[in-house]
Amino acid sequence: WSCVWGPKHKTIFQLTEPQGPDWNTLIVHVQNLQEAFKNDGGVQVEVIFFAQGINMLRKTNTEVSS
């Protein structure tokens, strides 16, 4: 007997860049992982923001494309 508690796959990214193309790259990687594993048990993605990377989380941030 097996129980499934959450997604089959798990990954963690870290972001420390104050702004720039790494922000959009992070979003693309997360979207690609979600698409790649949607039919294989799903994926849990966690992003750790620290140092200047915290700027990405601010409501006043306009650098990340939608």
Side-chain angles (χ1 to χ4, degrees):
W1 175 53
S2 68
C3 290
V4 177
W5 301 98
K8 179 179 176 182
H9 306 279
K10 296 175 174 67
T11 189
I12 298 174
F13 290 100
Q14 69 176 20
L15 184 72
T16 60
E17 295 298 317
Q19 63 184 8
D22 287 338
W23 287 12
N24 288 323
T25 300
L26 172 69
I27 292 169
V28 169
H29 285 317
V30 170
Q31 291 171 337
N32 287 342
L33 282 169
Q34 291 172 328
E35 182 65 26
F37 291 115
K38 73 179 180 183
N39 295 323
D40 186 27
V43 62
Q44 175 182 332
V45 179
E46 296 186 16
V47 181
I48 300 170
F49 297 90
F50 58 96
Q52 295 296 317
I54 292 173
N55 290 333
M56 188 175 181
L57 302 176
R58 294 195 174 143
K59 289 183 179 182
T60 57
N61 166 18
T62 59
E63 294 293 322
V64 178
S65 63
S66 51

